[in-house]
């Protein structure tokens, strides 16, 4: 990884940022393509109480500050009652009837929000290979290290071998491994082939070569091939990260989008450049999976096109700082550009989804810096909370089930060790992660 970053930095050394969409950058770009605490035996004590819901399926969280949604005032000294995996009641202590003899977690001094979504992850690194046969404690540790310890109860995988990712999901859904809800696009649709040496250097799983999508017929066939086995959306590169940086034609993009939308599934795009971004937006994609640091600031024509298309943006600000961590000047320049693009998108009223692009090129999973960079772009803690909860459920059609804390909704919750309204990095300081009313992660204390 370090070597790849060095290669990237060196190759970029004598270039302007705009010309950095170069063959030399391709390693960096393609990388972006790219329990120990075996979950708490749920009968272990928490604060002297049992920590799972009892056979009657009830669990009570008391004493926390609760942000039921990004737009509501916080409930101080609040109570959440969970029954059979759903929110049964929420309110100020004293206003909520707490049943007797129910497992209770004292959350005084802590903050509760709805479970977080990370809308840009990957399960493509070699360590996820042969997921059906990874020993349960190891797989559980990997899931915890990357996702549940940071409060993610739902993730969208934007590029990995589907049959493998499906096995991870099955092992979670069967109850064998504690983990988040996983949605996946399967493998990406590309208008270019990836050189073998780059695949090798990226540390990603070896997969059978994917056909290059060069015309609408191939785009339709490739889209069907990915969606038929049950993926949850499609992901494409709008432009090649390699010379000659060709942009997908409007007809190709439209063929992909039409097939996904026919099945009510979203299309994500790696925009790569200004041209790629505009082509993707014109073609009707739903989610822009990165900003475009090589393109300079987004002007009003770009913002208007994005707004008109009602796309959502996943900024992924940290991944660039990570990939360029050994090249400070370029890293800082790109970060300024990324932050300015996000700030401009926010000012134009655009939707933002939280996402980090972990485990393609970045194996530093801590999202704290992402939150800090989002705040640098002007996002309030409520806007960041929205990008983690209500925005993704709206975009992915789950508003009736997830994304807020309200009676009748699924009990996916995060308990934070402080108050993110004071410091957004607290969004990364997770004490408990709760999915379907069960504690799937608790921090060691
Ligand atoms: Zn990615």
């Amino acid at each position: 990884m370090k070597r790849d970053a060095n290669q990237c930095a060196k190759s970029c050394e004598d270039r302007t940022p705009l010309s950095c969409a170069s063959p030399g950058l391709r390693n960096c770009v393609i990388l972006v393509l790219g329990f120990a605490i075996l979950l708490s035996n749920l009968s272990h004590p928490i604060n002297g109480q049992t920590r799972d819901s009892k056979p009657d399926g009830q669990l009570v969280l008391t004493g926390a500050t609760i942000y039921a949604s990004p737009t509501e005032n916080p409930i101080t000294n609040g109570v959440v009652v969970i029954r059979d995996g759903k929110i049964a009641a929420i309110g100020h202590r004293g206003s909520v009837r707490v049943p007797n003899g129910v497992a209770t977690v004292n959350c005084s001094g802590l903050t509760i929000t709805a479970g977080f979504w990370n809308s840009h992850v990957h399960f493509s690194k070699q360590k996820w290979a042969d997921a059906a046969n990874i020993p349960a404690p190891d797989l559980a540790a990997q899931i915890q290290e990357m996702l549940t310890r940071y409060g993610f109860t739902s993730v969208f995988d934007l590029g990995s071998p589907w049959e493998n990712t499906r096995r991870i999901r099955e092992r979670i859904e069967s109850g064998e491994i504690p983990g988040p809800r996983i949605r996946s696009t399967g493998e990406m649709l590309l208008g270019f082939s990836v050189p073998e040496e780059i695949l090798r250097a990226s540390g990603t799983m070896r997969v059978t070569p994917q056909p290059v999508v060069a015309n609408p017929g191939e785009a339709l066939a490739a889209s069907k091939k990915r969606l038929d086995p049950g993926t949850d959306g499609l992901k494409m590169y709008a432009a090649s990260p390699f010379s000659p940086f060709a942009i997908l034609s409007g007809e190709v993009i439209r063929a992909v989008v039409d097939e996904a939308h026919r099945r009510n599934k979203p299309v994500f795009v790696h925009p790569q450049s200004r041209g790629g971004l505009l082509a993707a937006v014109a073609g009707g994609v739903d989610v822009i999976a990165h900003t475009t640091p090589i393109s300079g600031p987004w002007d009003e024509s770009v913002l208007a096109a994005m707004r008109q298309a009602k796309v959502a943006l996943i900024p992924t600000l940290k991944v660039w700082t990570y990939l360029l961590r050994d090249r400070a000047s370029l890293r800082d320049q790109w970060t300024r550009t990324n932050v300015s693009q996000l700030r401009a998108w926010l000012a134009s009223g655009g939707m933002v989804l939280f996402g980090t692009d972990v485990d393609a090129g970045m194996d530093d999973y801590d999202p704290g810096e992402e939150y800090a960079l989002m705040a640098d772009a002007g996002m309030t803690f409520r806007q960041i909370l929205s990008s983690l909860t209500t925005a993704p459920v709206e975009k992915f059609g789950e508003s009736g089930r997830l994304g807020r804390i309200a009676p009748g909704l699924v009990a996916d919750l995060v308990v934070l060790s402080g108050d993110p309204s004071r410091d957004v990095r607290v969004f990364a300081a997770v004490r408990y992660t709760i999915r379907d009313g069960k504690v799937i992660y608790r921090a060691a204390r």
Side-chain angles (χ1 to χ4, degrees), residues 29-34 120-122 124 157-159 188 235 237 270 289-290 316 319 356-361:
V29 175
I30 203 69
L31 285 172
V32 174
L33 259 171
H120 189 157
V121 306
H122 295 271
S124 52
D157 159 61
L158 303 189
M188 289 176 269
K235 161 81 174 291
Y237 259 57
H270 175 113
H290 299 283
T316 69
V319 71
T356 50
D357 200 16
V358 284
D359 241 25

Side-chain angles (χ1 to χ4, degrees), residues 57-103:
Q58 296 192 76
L59 178 68
V60 176
L61 312 176
T62 63
T65 297
I66 304 171
Y67 289 95
S69 77
T71 56
E72 294 170 70
N73 289 327
I75 300 167
T76 54
N77 197 7
V79 175
V80 180
V81 179
I82 297 166
R83 187 178 302 129
D84 297 329
K86 300 269 181 64
I87 306 295
I90 170 177
H92 192 272
R93 196 200 293 255
S95 71
V96 174
R97 193 190 143 273
V98 177
N100 291 327
V102 170

Side-chain angles (χ1 to χ4, degrees), residues 219-396:
L220 176 60
S223 300
K224 287 180 172 175
K225 189 176 172 191
R226 280 158 183 73
L227 290 165
D228 284 348
T231 58
D232 304 287
L234 293 173
K235 161 81 174 291
M236 73 176 119
Y237 259 57
S240 165
F242 315 124
S243 178
F245 315 116
I247 295 170
L248 285 182
S249 75
E251 291 77 18
V252 165
I253 295 172
R254 180 51 74 182
V256 171
V257 168
D258 285 350
E259 183 58 20
H261 287 181
R262 193 174 68 76
R263 305 180 193 218
N264 209 22
K265 303 282 173 70
V267 178
F268 298 78
V269 70
H270 175 113
Q272 183 65 30
S273 62
R274 185 178 192 276
L277 173 58
L278 290 172
V281 165
V285 304
D286 302 283
V287 182
I288 309 297
H290 299 283
T291 50
T292 57
I294 65 170
S295 72
W298 285 343
D299 57 29
E300 181 50 34
S301 64
V302 170
L303 296 165
M306 291 172 67
R307 213 167 38 232
Q308 192 174 5
K310 296 186 169 56
V311 293
L313 171 68
I314 306 173
T316 69
L317 303 171
K318 177 184 172 181
V319 71
W320 304 106
T321 71
Y322 178 87
L323 293 172
L324 296 172
R325 61 194 178 282
D326 297 328
R327 183 71 177 111
S329 61
L330 187 65
R331 178 198 66 206
D332 294 346
Q333 189 173 1
W334 281 28
T335 298
R336 280 194 298 275
T337 301
N338 288 326
V339 166
S340 80
Q341 291 173 346
L342 175 56
R343 181 180 291 115
W345 179 235
L346 285 164
S348 77
M351 176 185 279
V352 175
L353 309 181
F354 183 84
T356 50
D357 200 16
V358 284
D359 241 25
M362 181 167 68
D363 48 16
D364 171 359
Y365 303 137
D366 187 341
E369 186 182 348
E370 186 73 22
Y371 296 128
L373 289 166
M374 292 169 100
D376 287 348
M379 290 187 80
T380 65
F381 96 95
R382 288 180 185 273
Q383 287 175 311
I384 295 173
L385 180 58
S386 170
S387 77
L388 287 161
T389 57
T390 48
V393 300
E394 180 185 337
K395 197 68 184 172
F396 304 131

Side-chain angles (χ1 to χ4, degrees), residues 6-17 19-20 22 24-25 324 326-327 329-330 333:
N6 284 334
Q7 286 170 349
C8 171
K10 180 157 180 28
S11 70
C12 293
E13 199 156 1
D14 302 322
R15 303 169 194 273
T16 66
S19 67
C20 224
S22 63
L25 187 60
L324 296 172
D326 297 328
R327 183 71 177 111
S329 61
L330 187 65
Q333 189 173 1

